[in-house]
Amino acid sequence: MEKRISGTTALYALIGSPVGHSGSPAMYNYSFEKLGIDAAYLAFDITVEQVADFIAAAKTLHVKGFNVTMPCKTEVAKQVDELSPAAKIVGAVNTVVIEDGKLTGHITDGVGFIRNLAEHGVAVKGKKLTILGGGGAGTAIQVQAALDGAREISIFNMKDGFFANVEETAAKIRAAVPDCKVNVCDLADEKKLYQEVGESDILINATKIGMKPMEDQSLIKDVSVFRPELVVADVVYNPKETKLVLDAKAAGVKIAIGGSGMLLWQGVEAFRLYTGREMPVKEVQKLFFS
């Protein structure tokens, strides 16, 4: 690293709190070095209250771009100059590109998820999706799927204090993409859930259920709903294969996908936004995601 830092080295960053555990610096710095790009990537522990100060500093230091993790995604979206179509609907960003002092916010989670499906030969255009969870990951996937031509999306979320937010996002998607039918349902209504899954092409878990230490849990209790042609995908990447994915495979589902690919491809998309180039995906996948 020290051998390639120069007076012209561009700076990219990750902000959020905590960030000490993040693998992003290693992934981006490896990619810069591999492609001969004169750039470096650092992580900064930034709270929501410090976002404005960081943005001012980023402009002063001519930072070229930065990624955003929790809890700063919504606050950064409020403070950038422009939002991508997806980020505008989601109301949050995870990637910011800075050009001539102008900050443009993007959300690459949905792009990463859709790209991961595509890598497994699955397209969302014209398809019906059932998505479990209306939080950050779920919202990004819903929005991107609609923008990419999904025919219908059924969102299941617990009918709690957050339910109104899910309905509000659904209304925004309908307004932005009128051709996409969007339904919002109570996750506790199992009859409705299994009916929607039965009519869907793709089932997605966008909740934390299945993540350690909940690796023995799945929101789909009745595995008879699985059928060979149903695509099952999870956003959870630890464990690599959740109970949902394992149950789907055991029931004969041909394509059942864990969440590590989404993590990879959202980073690939951010790298493309920063540099205009494709990350060395095969090497990065082998080093950081195997």
Side-chain angles (χ1 to χ4, degrees):
M1 169 70 77
E2 68 278 3
K3 292 179 181 177
R4 66 182 187 85
I5 297 293
S6 71
T8 59
T9 300
L11 177 61
Y12 295 89
L14 168 69
I15 70 166
S17 186
V19 292
H21 66 286
S22 176
S24 293
M27 181 173 73
Y28 281 94
N29 285 316
Y30 171 84
S31 299
F32 290 146
E33 189 167 16
K34 186 77 176 177
L35 297 179
I37 296 172
D38 186 14
Y41 187 104
L42 296 174
F44 298 101
D45 199 293
I46 301 292
T47 65
V48 172
E49 294 75 22
Q50 295 171 315
V51 165
D53 289 340
F54 173 81
I55 288 175
K59 289 180 177 179
T60 300
L61 297 172
H62 302 291
V63 172
K64 297 295 185 182
F66 58 95
N67 290 117
V68 188
T69 188
M70 296 300 289
C72 299
K73 292 183 176 185
T74 304
E75 185 60 29
V76 171
K78 294 174 184 175
Q79 297 200 31
V80 297
D81 301 302
E82 191 174 317
L83 292 170
S84 71
K88 194 175 291 185
I89 301 171
V90 175
V93 304
N94 74 338
T95 303
V96 176
V97 177
I98 307 178
E99 290 180 308
D100 300 322
K102 179 184 176 183
L103 281 73
T104 303
H106 302 263
I107 186 85
T108 67
D109 292 331
V111 175
F113 187 88
I114 302 301
R115 176 71 182 267
N116 191 38
L117 288 180
E119 291 296 313
H120 288 82
V122 179
V124 299
K125 189 172 183 179
K127 303 289 178 61
K128 175 171 178 173
L129 287 66
T130 289
I131 301 178
L132 311 178
T139 300
I141 294 166
Q142 296 153 24
V143 170
Q144 196 62 49
L147 291 172
D148 286 355
R151 169 174 53 87
E152 185 174 352
I153 301 171
S154 291
I155 306 161
F156 282 82
N157 199 83
M158 293 300 295
K159 209 158 192 180
D160 53 16
F162 188 73
F163 197 77
N165 296 62
V166 181
E167 292 180 311
E168 186 180 339
T169 298
K172 288 180 182 177
I173 296 172
R174 294 186 196 106
V177 192
D179 290 339
C180 182
K181 182 181 178 184
V182 185
N183 317 300
V184 179
C185 313
D186 184 358
L187 186 57
D189 188 346
E190 290 192 353
K191 184 179 178 182
K192 179 67 173 174
L193 172 60
Y194 293 131
Q195 178 189 330
E196 292 297 311
V197 174
E199 296 171 358
S200 294
D201 302 291
I202 305 169
L203 168 65
I204 300 160
N205 174 48
T207 75
K208 293 181 180 179
I209 300 298
M211 181 187 295
K212 290 184 176 182
M214 297 180 285
E215 64 265 40
D216 60 341
Q217 298 179 37
S218 170
L219 289 171
I220 301 298
K221 308 288 194 299
D222 183 1
V223 296
S224 67
V225 75
F226 294 129
R227 58 192 194 280
E229 67 275 17
L230 176 70
V231 174
V232 175
D234 211 317
V235 303
V236 173
Y237 57 86
N238 186 19
K240 210 167 186 181
E241 291 191 324
T242 58
K243 179 170 169 53
L244 174 71
V245 170
L246 292 171
D247 286 349
K249 286 184 173 181
V253 170
K254 293 176 183 175
I255 301 176
I257 311 164
S260 61
M262 173 185 175
L263 194 64
L264 167 67
W265 290 107
Q266 66 83 23
V268 170
E269 175 63 11
F271 191 85
R272 185 191 66 78
L273 289 168
Y274 292 150
T275 67
R277 299 176 67 179
E278 182 97 339
M279 195 180 264
V281 179
K282 288 184 179 178
E283 293 95 328
V284 167
Q285 198 164 22
K286 184 178 179 182
L287 284 171
F288 304 104
F289 293 90
S290 60

